[in-house]
Amino acid sequence: MRSVTEILQQTDRTLFSFEVLPPLRGKSIEQIYGTIDRLLPFDPAFIEVTTHRSDFVYKEVGNGQYQRVEERLRPGTVAIAYAIRQKYDVPVVPHVICSGYSQQETEYELLDLSFLDLKDLLVLRGDKSKQDARFIPKEGGLRYASELCEQINRFNQGLLLFGEQHELCGERPFSYGVAGYPEKHEEAMSMASDLRALKRKVELGAGYVVTQMFFDNEKYFQFVERCREAGINVPIVPGLKPLGTLNHCTALPRTFRVDFPEELANRLEKCRTNEDVKAVGTEWCIRQCRELKSRDVPCLHFYTMNAATQIEHIMKEV
Ligand code: FAD
């Protein structure tokens, strides 16, 4: 099987891919299979599986008392990635993150992934803890995705954390993509500094970039242009999220620091129900996809977030 980097670097048409989230702790994997079954007819080039750090939550323990416990709301990324590959024989890309992991824990995860021959990764810093105002690495953990790229590169050379050798498994080492932000990462001091951070990740070996969601294609095109000027020459895969609920209209700009273009904002302001938003969001996403495809982007990558039916509809139109 070719690596996802090779697939994206060698394609001469616009591919399709999507991301799934592991189920909430205690829920079954069947919902993910349901999403994949719907989207499989569109021949996904790869499927990504997100990773979620643990966080502190308060659990009721009886008598009106609560206990503060550390909990991973969506565990199981590695197992889910493996299960998907076994069931569908599609390249799968588990996300690996710094957030909430020590370097040793990351190394154990890399060993698991290596034993399972899951060699395509998306390398990320990961979201900050919900209780922190800014990102704080776990003790013994990493600060930036670039440092995680370096850890993976050393692993690929057969070196563990303290310089011990390990036996490489499978036919090839890990290959990976990284995240990019057409509207700048929220913490970056400037677009230029954010691009320097992205370039560093590419110089370390990232074979492609997947972007944060955006709703204005011009922002993506400008981002690609600025990346090329900065010497970032790997495929840049646009990330797409069809709007589907009234909550999306305020939550997505707030959570992902993205702007809606005026025309879209005006149309959303008139929506009164989730169905209204879904109709506008679907039409907008189809427009985005058609234009991106006409400009020969390497792949249309969807953040599914339980919107398989909506994405199925969009893909039929595109
Ligand atoms: P980095 O590349 O480390 O950048 C983080 C910030 O630090 C940026 O502002 C950058 O400019 C700056 N920076 C980088 N290097 C340096 C340096 N050396 N010195 C100074 N500043 C620096 N989150 C999850 O928790 N799980 C997921 O599965 C997940 N999947 C995602 C998938 C995609 C496609 C995208 C776009 C995001 C995803 N995220 C996920 C969210 C992501 O982890 C957050 O946006 C996070 O805040 C930044 O991650 P990053 O990998 O871009 O970080």
Side-chain angles (χ1 to χ4, degrees):
M1 212 183 242
R2 284 184 300 163
S3 69
V4 169
T5 294
E6 286 167 333
I7 292 171
L8 288 168
Q9 292 187 352
Q10 294 165 4
T11 187
D12 54 5
R13 66 184 173 94
T14 300
L15 303 168
F16 161 67
S17 63
F18 60 93
E19 169 188 289
V20 293
L21 275 63
L24 289 167
R25 180 168 164 266
K27 295 280 178 197
S28 133
I29 196 172
E30 291 304 323
Q31 194 199 358
I32 293 188
Y33 291 155
T35 297
I36 299 175
D37 289 338
R38 272 195 181 280
L39 299 179
L40 207 61
F42 304 103
D43 193 19
F46 58 93
I47 298 171
E48 292 194 359
V49 186
T50 58
T51 294
H52 302 260
R53 59 162 295 146
S54 56
D55 246 315
F56 287 99
V57 290
Y58 289 87
K59 296 270 183 196
E60 197 170 357
V61 288
N63 299 332
Q65 304 236 332
Y66 286 83
Q67 192 184 348
R68 187 173 178 260
V69 291
E70 195 171 358
E71 181 183 77
R72 194 173 287 262
L73 217 58
R74 293 181 184 273
T77 300
V78 173
I80 284 164
Y82 184 72
I84 293 173
R85 195 194 53 201
Q86 292 308 98
K87 187 168 162 72
Y88 297 98
D89 199 24
V90 172
V92 181
V93 183
H95 293 184
V96 285
I97 61 173
C98 312
S99 186
Y101 284 76
S102 68
Q103 288 177 69
Q104 255 169 329
E105 287 162 341
T106 296
E107 183 171 282
Y108 299 142
E109 186 163 308
L110 292 177
L111 286 164
D112 285 345
L113 291 162
S114 174
F115 295 146
L116 296 168
D117 209 17
L118 286 165
K119 295 292 180 47
D120 293 296
L121 309 174
L122 194 74
V123 177
L124 301 143
R125 189 194 70 183
D127 291 324
K128 66 180 174 60
S129 164
K130 287 190 179 65
Q131 67 199 348
D132 294 332
R134 62 185 173 83
F135 177 76
I136 302 170
K138 184 170 179 173
E139 198 181 335
L142 300 169
R143 289 169 306 164
Y144 299 114
S146 57
E147 294 176 344
L148 184 49
C149 295
E150 288 172 331
Q151 183 175 356
I152 293 168
N153 290 350
R154 284 193 299 275
F155 189 96
N156 275 344
Q157 289 159 10
L159 289 176
L160 296 180
L161 272 181
F162 301 105
E164 314 95 311
Q165 299 278 333
H166 76 98
E167 292 172 11
L168 296 165
C169 302
E171 284 177 14
R172 61 177 171 89
F174 286 114
S175 102
Y176 53 87
V178 290
Y181 301 82
E183 298 181 55
K184 188 180 87 58
H185 183 259
E186 58 173 314
E187 294 159 33
M189 283 183 282
S190 68
M191 193 63 176
S193 72
D194 210 20
L195 285 175
R196 278 196 294 280
L198 179 58
K199 189 171 181 194
R200 171 92 185 121
K201 295 188 280 191
V202 172
E203 284 170 349
L204 284 166
Y208 62 98
V209 175
V210 182
T211 77
Q212 183 58 277
M213 65 180 72
F214 57 88
F215 296 87
D216 182 350
N217 283 355
E218 268 320 302
K219 296 219 167 117
Y220 167 82
F221 296 132
Q222 283 164 12
F223 176 67
V224 174
E225 207 177 304
R226 290 198 68 170
C227 285
R228 301 307 180 222
E229 283 165 12
I232 298 165
N233 289 315
V234 295
I236 299 177
V237 174
L240 295 154
K241 167 76 195 134
L243 295 165
T245 63
L246 284 166
N247 184 44
H248 283 161
C249 301
T250 47
L252 296 185
R254 190 179 60 240
T255 311
F256 299 105
R257 311 293 163 138
V258 292
D259 268 351
F260 294 143
E262 264 319 285
E263 185 190 342
L264 178 59
N266 286 338
R267 289 174 64 184
L268 291 173
E269 273 171 17
K270 297 191 186 88
C271 293
R272 293 290 167 265
T273 64
N274 287 343
E275 285 312 308
D276 294 345
V277 175
K278 193 178 271 184
V280 172
T282 303
E283 196 197 314
W284 190 266
C285 193
I286 291 170
R287 238 167 84 177
Q288 277 194 280
C289 290
R290 285 189 177 144
E291 187 184 23
L292 290 164
K293 207 174 156 196
S294 76
R295 301 272 291 260
D296 292 328
V297 300
C299 186
L300 298 170
H301 179 75
F302 288 87
Y303 296 103
T304 53
M305 296 181 189
N306 299 333
T309 315
Q310 196 181 6
I311 294 167
E312 183 186 16
H313 178 79
I314 291 165
M315 282 307 292
K316 275 186 189 152
E317 295 295 320
V318 176

